[in-house]
Amino acid sequence: MCSLCGVLGCDDHWTSAVARPGVYTHNSDRIARRREAARRLAVANALLATRRLRLSEWQGRSYVLASPTGSTRIFEALSHLWSEAGALAGRPFDPLDPSFIASIEAIR
Amino acid sequence: MNGPTPVHLLTGFLGSGKTTLLRRMLADPAMAGAAVLVNEFGEIGLDHELLDRIDETVVLLKSGCLCCTVRGELADALLALHSRRARGEVPFFDRVAVETTGMADPYPALSTIRSHPVLRNHYRNVGVVTTVDAVNAPGLLDTRLEALRQIGAADLLALTKTDLAPPARVSDLIARLASVNPSARVMTASEVGAMDFLTEAGSLPPPPESARLNHHAGTFRADTPVTSFALEIEQPIDWTGFGLWLTMLLDRHGENVFRVKGILNLIGEDRPVAVHGVQRLVHSPVHLERWPDERRTSRIVFIVHGLDHALIEASFRAFDVMARRIAARGVSA
């Protein structure tokens, strides 16, 4: 159970680690958490748009990934994002693919 | 006790001196409060008998190798220890040492502790110690990927049997280990004290001097080279972009990223942030108190198997520039 919102399941990705002494996280308070979540969505969507996918959050506890044809995938943890996105796009997101790097460099 | 119990993983190839080292560590008063899990591959477990300490906090995981068949047993053993400690049925322990089998890849054990829905609330990985046999390691490094994975995952490399190998062979091995895993400390096992064994990986200022050169690589005679290199980035980097980049890199290539360890100079942060991971597992980032030296640059060491260093750097920089561009545009929550 998520200790922050009290619902079953939660995103325990390392970029949003539980706030503990010594741990770097934006999970320390609600405002910082929401701000970081919005930033993450914006950057992820810039990357996903190269394959015409769109990510949104549902109730702050799940992610919904949608294709232009209306297919959707729902998952709870950010660690699932790229494997789900690769499956929905029909080919994996490979950050070491030179053509993908070029498409990221072209994002304005 | 407060917070999750630290777990120290001890690994190393078959016959490399894990049990000998653990036995010496357990004799130290600093380890008096440690529970011990010993994983042995074989019908009859012997290693735990050699530890000279048999009580309820020494547990033998005997139904197979930790990296494949007994991950559930590791989880069960840790949960049982936690419950029994809470009920006062076993002597109090303040940390756990896990000795893996010689063939085990450390990643599944680390991942079990990090990701198990209950374990992750009660235990935390704090370091990997790998024993390296000075007599046999040079041959193993050419032929056994398990040995390279164990060395790549290490925070501390303990050289054993250095008295049985010619000094030139030992110094060659040390140079080679530094190129496989430049972020690990290398010590002879006889010099390793309990405090070295117990040092938390995140509390060290990574990476060390040897890793500061860009593209300081070690190349091996295995079919596909295992290489290490360091990225050094002058300007502050964007945390959100870094997180999405590393997540994508590990999702696609995690089995070939033996280790990633670095200190980051993040936009908007005065103090450095340490990040370290093994294959697809990334530990919680640590906010360090201070910079290890006067240079405020991000330095990230990678140990990779067959991945192109230049593409990793180009990819990182493309993500960072893109994320900073989006941040400059502004995002509304």
Side-chain angles (χ1 to χ4, degrees), chain A residues 12 22 24 36 94-95 107-108, chain B residues 114 240 253 285 287 315 325:
Chain A
D12 72 331
Y24 178 75
E36 180 61 19
D94 183 353
I107 295 172
R108 288 289 178 268
Chain B
R114 169 70 177 81
T240 311
H253 299 286
H287 217 174
S315 171
R325 202 174 277 149

Side-chain angles (χ1 to χ4, degrees), chain B residues 118-235:
Chain B
V118 181
L119 279 185
R120 70 184 185 209
N121 296 310
H122 299 303
Y123 294 94
R124 63 192 173 96
N125 296 304
V126 291
V128 177
V129 177
T130 301
T131 52
V132 182
D133 168 352
V135 176
N136 296 314
L140 291 171
L141 289 173
D142 290 334
T143 55
R144 303 304 300 235
L145 205 56
E146 302 95 325
L148 284 168
R149 286 189 192 278
Q150 291 169 352
I151 290 165
D155 300 295
L156 171 64
L157 292 164
L159 289 182
T160 61
K161 305 181 190 176
T162 47
D163 52 333
L164 301 177
R169 193 180 170 102
V170 174
S171 54
D172 284 352
L173 177 62
I174 290 172
R176 205 160 162 198
L177 293 175
S179 63
V180 178
N181 185 349
S183 67
R185 286 189 299 161
V186 181
M187 301 175 77
T188 56
S190 57
E191 291 173 342
V192 174
M195 296 323 291
D196 301 306
F197 189 87
L198 298 177
T199 299
E200 295 198 15
S203 65
L204 294 172
E209 191 71 35
S210 62
R212 286 188 187 156
L213 296 173
N214 278 339
H215 304 286
H216 176 83
T219 308
F220 293 85
R221 293 189 289 277
D223 290 344
T224 309
V226 173
T227 54
S228 66
F229 71 104
L231 276 183
E232 183 156 359
I233 304 110
E234 294 289 338
Q235 65 184 127

Side-chain angles (χ1 to χ4, degrees), chain B residues 7-75:
Chain B
V7 178
H8 304 266
L9 200 66
L10 173 61
T11 184
F13 211 72
L14 297 166
S16 62
K18 296 182 293 297
T19 306
T20 307
L21 180 65
L22 182 59
R23 184 177 173 181
R24 194 161 63 74
M25 293 300 104
L26 291 176
D28 192 291
M31 291 282 282
V36 182
L37 299 184
V38 179
N39 175 215
E40 201 168 351
F41 188 72
E43 288 297 309
I44 303 169
L46 287 177
D47 277 1
H48 71 302
E49 304 284 0
L50 302 175
L51 290 174
D52 280 345
R53 200 183 100 179
I54 298 296
D55 62 30
E56 300 91 330
T57 59
V58 178
V59 179
L60 178 67
L61 307 171
K62 58 188 173 188
S63 53
C65 174
L66 193 53
C67 70
C68 25
T69 52
V70 299
R71 267 185 277 172
E73 196 177 339
L74 171 69

Side-chain angles (χ1 to χ4, degrees), chain A residues 2-108:
Chain A
C2 176
S3 57
L4 298 170
C5 46
V7 295
L8 285 171
C10 67
D11 187 358
D12 72 331
H13 193 253
W14 56 274
T15 54
S16 47
V18 174
R20 278 205 316 264
V23 169
Y24 178 75
T25 181
H26 291 268
N27 234 345
S28 48
D29 65 81
R30 192 176 63 86
I31 300 295
R33 188 163 59 247
R34 292 306 307 152
R35 186 182 295 133
E36 180 61 19
R39 288 218 53 220
R40 191 184 295 140
L41 269 186
V43 178
N45 272 320
L47 293 162
L48 291 163
T50 61
R51 305 265 171 88
R52 301 174 66 212
L53 301 180
R54 177 86 194 156
L55 183 70
S56 52
E57 256 194 356
W58 184 77
Q59 301 266 338
R61 56 168 281 203
S62 294
Y63 295 97
V64 182
L65 189 63
S67 77
T69 58
S71 301
T72 56
R73 287 176 180 257
I74 301 170
F75 51 93
E76 289 185 344
L78 193 63
S79 47
H80 299 164
L81 169 61
W82 299 116
S83 56
E84 294 285 359
L88 201 55
R91 63 194 162 108
F93 279 77
D94 183 353
L96 304 186
D97 173 358
S99 63
F100 185 55
I101 294 173
S103 64
I104 297 167
E105 287 169 341
I107 295 172
R108 288 289 178 268

